[in-house]
Amino acid sequence: MPDLRPRRSALYMPGSNARALEKAKAVAADVVIMDLEDAVAPDVKAVARAQIATAIAAGGFGRKEVVIRTNALDTAWGIDDLRMAASTNAGAVLIPKVSSPQMLADVERVLVESGSAQRIWAMIETPLGVLNAREIAACAGHKNSRLTCFVIGTNDLVKETRAELDQHRTAAQYWLSAIMTAGKAYGLDVLDGVYNDFKDLEGLLRESRQGRQLGMDGKTVIHPDQIATVNDVFRPSELEIAAAERIIATFEQPENKGRGAITMDGRMVELLHADMARRTVALARAIDG
């Protein structure tokens, strides 16, 4: 399964906080997102840019996926952010407020000009981005596409729409499902938005479970204390792994070779379930290293 890697938890760390960047090396998040956008004030953007470059050059992040969130290209900082990111060995750049395929094409052009092979992650966090999610995701179907992941920006969507979210995120269900479906149609991972009250672990657990039920691959987080809860929710359980291994083993039995469907425990199990089982086992192995 190409490019299958755990993205259960993705921790935002402000690039303006050198201590936080150093601390990111020790956290249990699958992904560290070094932030140059919302978490960084305009007067320290350049400082944050330099500190992120230094932190990545120093290494020490182990198996974590390191991603840099830049400012958008149409801002005063975007092009400098992207060129700095391209000069590092970060795995991907996260582009905020992606509302059209052209925005990704512009980013890819800069990366190519910089000689970088980095992946592109896209934040879908504007009403237009939601409406254009299918066209944006379709960029992943182009030859040599770098687009790998969608990140949902629920806070910005709330701001732009003036929606009010209850504990079930009722008003956000269209956004979440539309973005998730578009992303999965083109093979992208999709990460859920942040849960703002980092002291409310019960609320985080509820929202994380909802995200997984919707098909998300993980969740972005804003505080290290949120990582364990999110990692646990998006990890296949021991029961899920055992059931998946059983399905795989049953399909591999000589009498079931070439069959499209079998009966297990009184229910029909098809080849698509075997594919799902293989992914479950592969993800568990990737998490365990």
Side-chain angles (χ1 to χ4, degrees), residues 57-117:
F61 293 92
R63 295 172 57 234
K64 297 179 188 65
E65 192 169 8
V66 177
V67 177
I68 299 173
R69 179 164 73 165
T70 68
N71 288 275
L73 281 185
D74 61 359
T75 68
W77 315 283
I79 189 68
D80 288 336
D81 289 351
L82 196 53
R83 286 173 177 162
M84 178 280 293
S87 72
T88 73
N89 64 357
V93 290
L94 173 59
I95 308 302
K97 299 176 179 61
V98 175
S99 299
S100 71
Q102 185 59 49
M103 295 178 72
L104 295 185
D106 293 340
V107 168
E108 185 163 352
R109 174 180 51 78
V110 175
L111 293 177
V112 170
E113 290 173 353
S114 302
S116 169

Side-chain angles (χ1 to χ4, degrees), residues 116-138:
S116 169
Q118 285 165 330
R119 300 283 188 161
I120 296 174
W121 290 21
M123 289 203 73
I124 308 299
E125 52 184 343
T126 67
L128 191 57
V130 175
L131 293 176
N132 290 337
R134 176 182 175 181
E135 289 75 16
I136 297 167

Side-chain angles (χ1 to χ4, degrees), residues 9-12 29 193-195 204 219-224 226-227 230:
S9 55
L11 174 66
Y12 288 107
V194 300
Y195 188 77
L204 174 67
K219 190 170 182 65
T220 47
V221 296
I222 57 173
H223 194 282
Q226 296 179 311
I227 294 171
V230 172

Side-chain angles (χ1 to χ4, degrees), residues 130-164:
V130 175
L131 293 176
N132 290 337
R134 176 182 175 181
E135 289 75 16
I136 297 167
C139 293
H142 299 165
K143 185 179 180 181
N144 300 322
S145 172
R146 298 164 181 252
L147 184 59
T148 303
C149 185
F150 271 176
V151 177
I152 301 177
T154 42
N155 282 340
D156 275 85
L157 281 164
V158 166
K159 173 190 172 186
E160 295 296 324
T161 63
R162 296 187 291 278
E164 295 182 5

